[in-house]
Structure formats: structure tokens, C-alpha cells
């Protein structure tokens, strides 16, 4: 597992750092810690040469001070993370943070980007900041958005739909060394009972002989989901695997499930319903990562192409 941790030393970045240390990754874990130095020059026009020289000198000083602070941030993060990884590399780049994180994570061929999620306005702590928003939309790999300190509860809520991303979300769990104390809950939302075919009361079985409750029956991708769970041995590897079926609108019902279950992470597919080129995440995923009161893992299957990032 190669994790790319983007940090600016803020409180939300420290949440992401703590979440990286708390997650039960399979060894070995390779970490790349990156920070950016971005000081866009303010508009300045003067015909007085001495004023222009003073302005240029002030910008040079600001950049030097920013680089010193960035090196301090990287050093602190490296010291904190070395005990939890096989190797920790650091990188410092200049440029717009969101676009630079996406570009460098792609160049490093990482498996996961971890960033803090800084809120704005009256929903501080819930809505994404501009950097995390850009990374969530444009990264080619899975993204961990840390909103709170790790709870270390071992509870993972998987919000699944009927797409191939449902299987990818389950298979991502292979990267975790889950214990018998772990609890995986899958939540599926139907608009109404009309969209919920009445199961026959039996159980689904696959080639390995394992079975899961008939609640999986109404899912269009039930055989694939069951096969993925069996291939990874998730039904025997962890202490509990439960299924919750809810009725209504996807976003409010999943948010209600989060409040009820209180998970360590909400895990969702990267491309849910109503995705467009301008918004690769889709409306449902977009609203979930904005309003979920817990950290969110966005799973992107390998080999899926997304639009090139646009600098902000």
C-alpha cells in the first residue's frame, strides 16, 4: 500500500495523519508526505522603481519563510509517521495545492491520497474546503477525507449502489488487516417498496459454499457482491457483517444510517448516480462527502479514467 499524505500542518491535516496511523493497513506501508508552497503574488503596479524593488524583495522573503514553515511541517509529519510505515519519503512543491496534489499523486502511482477536510462557512467541519474538494473530484486513486480524529471503533459503513463500484468498495477492504472485533455494515437505499422485490426467503450461495442473508436478493449485482465478500473471506474474517435496507432518498437515509451506526469511516464508490464529466463523483457521493459527520473514504477502481484536473 502506497499512501500519499498531503499536509499543511493544520488541524484537519493532523486528523488525516492520525487516521493513517489508526487504520489497520496490511504491511508493508509506504508513505509519501507532501506539502506545497503557494504564494500567489498580489496585484501591484508602480512606476517608482524603489517601490517595485521593495515589493519584489518582500515576496522573496515571504517565499523563504513559507519554505521554512513547509520544511518544519514535513519534518514533524515524518517523525510522527515513521513508526507506522516501512518507509516515509517527503516532498515539497510549489503551485496551486489541489492541482499539485493530484498531479504528484498520479506521478508517484499511489494507491490512496489522504487529506484533511477543512469546512467553510456555517457548516464548518462538514463542507469540504477547496483543496480537498479538488482532490476528491480529480484524483485517479482512492481518497481518504479526514474530518474528525480517528474513533478506533473498528466500524465501517459501506454505502453501496448497483454499479460495479459496489464490488470495488468491498475489494478495497483487502488492504486492511481487519480483526475479529471489526464490524462492517452495508447500507442500501431503495426509493420505495416498488423498487424492492420481495425476496423468496432463501439465501444466496456462491461456489465457495458460503451464504448470506436474503436481504442481498433484491440487489441487481447481488451475485458479484456476494462473490467479492467470499473471495476476501470478509464474512469469516471480521466479527460482524450486517446489512441495512432503508427506503427514501439516498443522501438523507445514508446520513441517518451514519448517525445511527457511528462508523470510523463511511466508504463509498467514486462514481455514483448522476455523475458527469464536470462532477465525476456524482450528486449522491458529492452530497455525502459534504455532509457526512465522519471521515470518508472514496474508492476508485484501478484503470478507471477521469477528466484531467483543472487548476483552481
Amino acid at each position: 500500500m502506497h499512501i500519499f499524505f498531503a499536509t499543511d500542518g493544520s488541524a484537519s491535516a493532523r486528523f488525516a495523519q492520525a487516521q493513517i496511523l489508526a487504520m489497520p493497513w496490511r504491511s508493508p506501508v509506504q508513505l509519501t508526505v507532501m506539502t506545497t508552497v503557494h504564494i500567489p503574488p498580489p496585484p501591484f503596479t508602480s512606476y517608482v522603481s524603489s517601490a517595485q524593488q521593495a515589493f519584489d524583495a518582500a515576496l522573496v522573503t515571504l517565499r523563504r519563510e513559507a519554505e521554512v514553515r513547509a520544511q518544519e511541517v514535513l519534518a514533524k509529519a515524518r517523525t510522527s509517521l515513521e513508526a507506522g510505515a516501512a518507509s516515509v519519503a517527503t516532498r515539497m512543491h510549489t503551485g496551486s495545492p489541489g492541482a499539485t496534489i493530484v498531479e504528484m499523486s498520479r506521478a508517484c502511482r499511489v494507491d490512496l491520497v489522504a487529506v484533511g477536510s477543512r469546512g467553510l462557512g456555517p457548516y464548518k467541519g462538514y463542507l469540504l474546503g477547496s483543496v480537498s474538494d479538488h482532490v476528491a473530484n480529480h484524483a485517479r486513486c482512492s481518497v481518504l477525507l479526514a474530518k474528525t480524529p480517528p474513533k478506533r471503533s473498528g466500524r465501517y459503513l459501506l454505502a453501496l449502489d448497483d454499479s460495479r463500484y459496489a464490488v470495488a468498495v468491498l475489494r478495497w477492504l483487502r488492504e486492511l488487516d481487519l480483526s475479529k472485533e471489526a464490524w462492517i455494515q452495508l447500507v442500501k437505499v431503495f426509493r420505495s417498496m416498488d423498487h424492492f422485490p420481495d425476496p423468496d426467503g432463501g439465501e444466496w450461495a456462491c461456489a465457495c459454499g458460503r451464504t448470506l442473508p436474503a436481504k442481498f436478493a433484491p440487489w441487481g449485482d447481488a451475485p458479484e457482491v456476494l462473490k467479492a465478500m467470499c473471495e476476501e473471506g470478509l464474512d469469516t474474517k471480521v466479527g460482524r457483517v450486517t446489512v441495512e435496507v432503508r427506503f427514501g432518498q439516498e443522501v438523507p437515509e445514508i446520513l441517518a444510517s451514519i448517525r445511527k451506526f457511528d462508523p470510523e469511516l463511511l466508504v463509498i464508490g467514486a462514481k455514483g448516480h448522476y455523475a458527469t464529466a464536470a462532477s465525476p463523483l456524482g450528486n449522491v457521493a458529492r452530497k455525502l462527502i459534504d455532509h457526512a459527520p465522519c471521515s470518508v473514504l472514496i474508492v476508485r477502481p484501478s484503470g478507471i479514467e477521469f477528466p484531467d484536473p483543472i487548476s483552481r
Side-chain angles (χ1 to χ4, degrees):
M1 167 68 80
H2 187 180
I3 301 172
F4 192 86
F5 171 41
T7 179
D8 59 1
S10 64
S12 61
R14 292 194 293 272
F15 291 164
Q17 178 176 299
Q19 191 71 65
I20 291 171
L21 290 171
M23 292 290 288
W25 310 110
R26 285 188 184 178
S27 297
V29 175
Q30 178 184 354
L31 272 167
T32 298
V33 184
M34 192 208 83
T35 193
T36 61
V37 175
H38 182 52
I39 304 178
F44 179 82
T45 302
S46 176
Y47 295 104
V48 180
S49 60
S50 59
Q52 185 65 57
Q53 290 172 1
F55 177 77
D56 293 341
L59 283 182
V60 170
T61 300
L62 284 174
R63 290 193 183 96
R64 287 175 179 170
E65 292 176 350
E67 288 173 357
V68 170
R69 289 195 297 271
Q71 291 289 2
E72 292 174 351
V73 167
L74 289 176
K76 289 180 180 179
R78 179 169 189 163
T79 300
S80 298
L81 292 167
E82 280 179 330
S87 65
V88 181
T90 59
R91 306 175 68 106
M92 183 172 67
H93 295 274
T94 59
S96 176
T100 304
I101 292 168
V102 170
E103 179 184 353
M104 297 314 303
S105 64
R106 186 179 185 186
C108 293
R109 300 176 182 271
V110 302
D111 302 301
L112 176 75
V113 176
V115 294
S117 170
R118 284 186 288 183
L120 299 172
Y123 299 102
K124 186 176 182 180
Y126 290 81
L127 296 183
L128 297 185
S130 60
V131 173
S132 50
D133 177 81
H134 190 87
V135 174
N137 271 285
H138 297 291
R140 262 55 171 183
C141 60
S142 298
V143 176
L144 172 62
L145 299 170
K147 294 190 168 191
T148 62
K151 300 176 182 178
R152 302 180 186 273
S153 65
R155 295 186 175 198
Y156 303 93
L157 182 66
L158 279 58
L160 305 181
D161 59 20
D162 293 327
S163 70
R164 56 181 168 156
Y165 286 81
V167 175
V169 166
L170 288 169
R171 288 180 175 167
W172 187 89
L173 292 175
R174 76 179 62 177
E175 302 300 337
L176 300 181
D177 187 15
L178 296 171
S179 69
K180 281 293 184 182
E181 286 71 41
W183 182 356
I184 298 173
Q185 176 146 302
L186 300 93
V187 59
K188 170 67 177 178
V189 179
F190 293 92
R191 291 297 181 93
S192 70
M193 287 295 294
D194 294 336
H195 296 86
F196 184 82
D198 185 25
D200 59 9
E203 293 181 319
W204 284 84
C206 64
C208 69
R210 297 194 180 111
T211 61
L212 282 179
K215 287 183 180 180
F216 277 94
W219 296 18
D221 58 352
E224 292 182 71
V225 172
L226 178 56
K227 181 180 178 183
M229 293 195 76
C230 291
E231 284 178 349
E232 303 306 323
L234 293 177
D235 56 335
T236 59
K237 186 177 181 181
V238 302
R240 301 179 69 178
V241 177
T242 55
V243 180
E244 181 183 26
V245 175
R246 303 181 73 97
F247 298 92
Q249 297 295 318
E250 290 98 328
V251 173
E253 291 300 326
I254 293 172
L255 292 177
S257 182
I258 294 172
R259 290 190 292 269
K260 177 183 175 182
F261 187 62
D262 191 25
E264 177 80 20
L265 282 178
L266 168 66
V267 188
I268 59 175
K271 209 167 186 178
H273 296 305
Y274 321 122
T276 65
S279 179
L281 287 171
N283 290 341
V284 172
R286 167 77 272 168
K287 292 176 181 178
L288 284 175
I289 64 174
D290 269 344
H291 297 288
C294 63
S295 296
V296 181
L297 174 69
I298 305 164
V299 175
R300 282 193 169 95
S302 59
I304 302 299
E305 290 298 322
F306 294 89
D308 287 332
I310 300 172
S311 298
R312 294 185 178 183

